Amino acid sequence: GMSRYNTNLQQVANNTWNKIDKINTELFTLTYGAIVVQLLKDFDSVDDVNNQLEKMGYNIGLRLIDEFLARSGLGRCRDLRETAEVIAKVGFKMFLGFAGTVLKMNAKKGSFHLVLEDNPLIDFVELPAQYKDTLIYNNILCGVIRGALEMVQMKVKCTVKKCPLKGHDVTQIKVVLIEHLTSEIPVGDEF
């Protein structure tokens, strides 16, 4: 059952991770702070920066899903629980080099939380006091999840619920399924 599935996911995650150009991941995590700093200079309001980070993530997510499906060899997820596990175990591992865990799975409400004990995006980062309450430093992750899931016909809303930069012990993101999108491809049109 589920435990065998999880072991397989672990395997898939590690194999996929080994195929990835690790330089990309490291480069990304190293330059992310500089990107945030630049955005804070470019935009007047922190809200605009938060939106920009989410949008950046969204665009990455749209592209990442193809690579993800190709490299992991995983098919479509059967349900929300499976989707959550795949994001946590394989998706995060692929994108950040660390797997996450799923908490508060609620299939009825269509929601779950993703938890990262290790988040390389925030290594060596200290938020200046004026941004502690307003800047959603990890918002790029919300965008990545939203973009990737939209490509597999799931419209979701993601919110950062906990962040070590704000004194929490983990990075925690809430994902809520808003709707299942129907495929816009007319019947008979094959790519």
Side-chain angles (χ1 to χ4, degrees), residues 13 27 92 140 148:
L27 194 68
F92 276 157
I140 192 163

Side-chain angles (χ1 to χ4, degrees), residues 65-83:
I65 189 77
D66 289 333
E67 198 178 343
F68 172 80
L69 294 170
R71 286 195 168 143
S72 67
L74 287 169
R76 277 284 170 91
C77 293
R78 287 186 301 262
D79 54 27
L80 197 66
R81 184 179 299 273
E82 200 175 300
T83 301

Side-chain angles (χ1 to χ4, degrees), residues 173-189:
I173 296 169
K174 182 179 186 183
V175 182
V176 181
L177 178 65
I178 299 167
E179 61 174 325
H180 279 284
L181 304 164
T182 49
S183 171
E184 296 298 306
I185 306 162
V187 179
D189 276 15

Side-chain angles (χ1 to χ4, degrees), residues 46-58:
V46 178
D47 280 349
D48 288 344
V49 173
N50 291 334
N51 289 337
Q52 205 55 37
L53 291 172
E54 204 276 345
K55 235 181 255 167
M56 257 173 61
Y58 175 75

Side-chain angles (χ1 to χ4, degrees), residues 28-71:
F28 174 70
T29 52
L30 286 172
T31 52
Y32 184 65
I35 294 168
V36 176
V37 169
Q38 190 55 50
L39 289 173
L40 286 167
K41 285 182 186 147
D42 291 348
F43 289 92
D44 298 330
S45 87
V46 178
D47 280 349
D48 288 344
V49 173
N50 291 334
N51 289 337
Q52 205 55 37
L53 291 172
E54 204 276 345
K55 235 181 255 167
M56 257 173 61
Y58 175 75
N59 289 325
I60 292 171
L62 293 179
R63 291 198 308 272
L64 203 70
I65 189 77
D66 289 333
E67 198 178 343
F68 172 80
L69 294 170
R71 286 195 168 143

Side-chain angles (χ1 to χ4, degrees), residues 80 84 102-113 174-177:
L80 197 66
V102 179
L103 276 192
K104 300 186 185 182
M105 182 70 222
N106 188 330
K108 271 206 182 73
K109 282 191 178 148
S111 68
F112 57 87
H113 289 235
K174 182 179 186 183
V175 182
V176 181
L177 178 65

Side-chain angles (χ1 to χ4, degrees), residues 54 136 138-147 158-160 173:
E54 204 276 345
I136 310 170
N138 284 300
N139 222 19
I140 192 163
L141 296 178
C142 291
V144 170
I145 295 164
R146 182 171 73 91
C158 302
T159 341
V160 176
I173 296 169

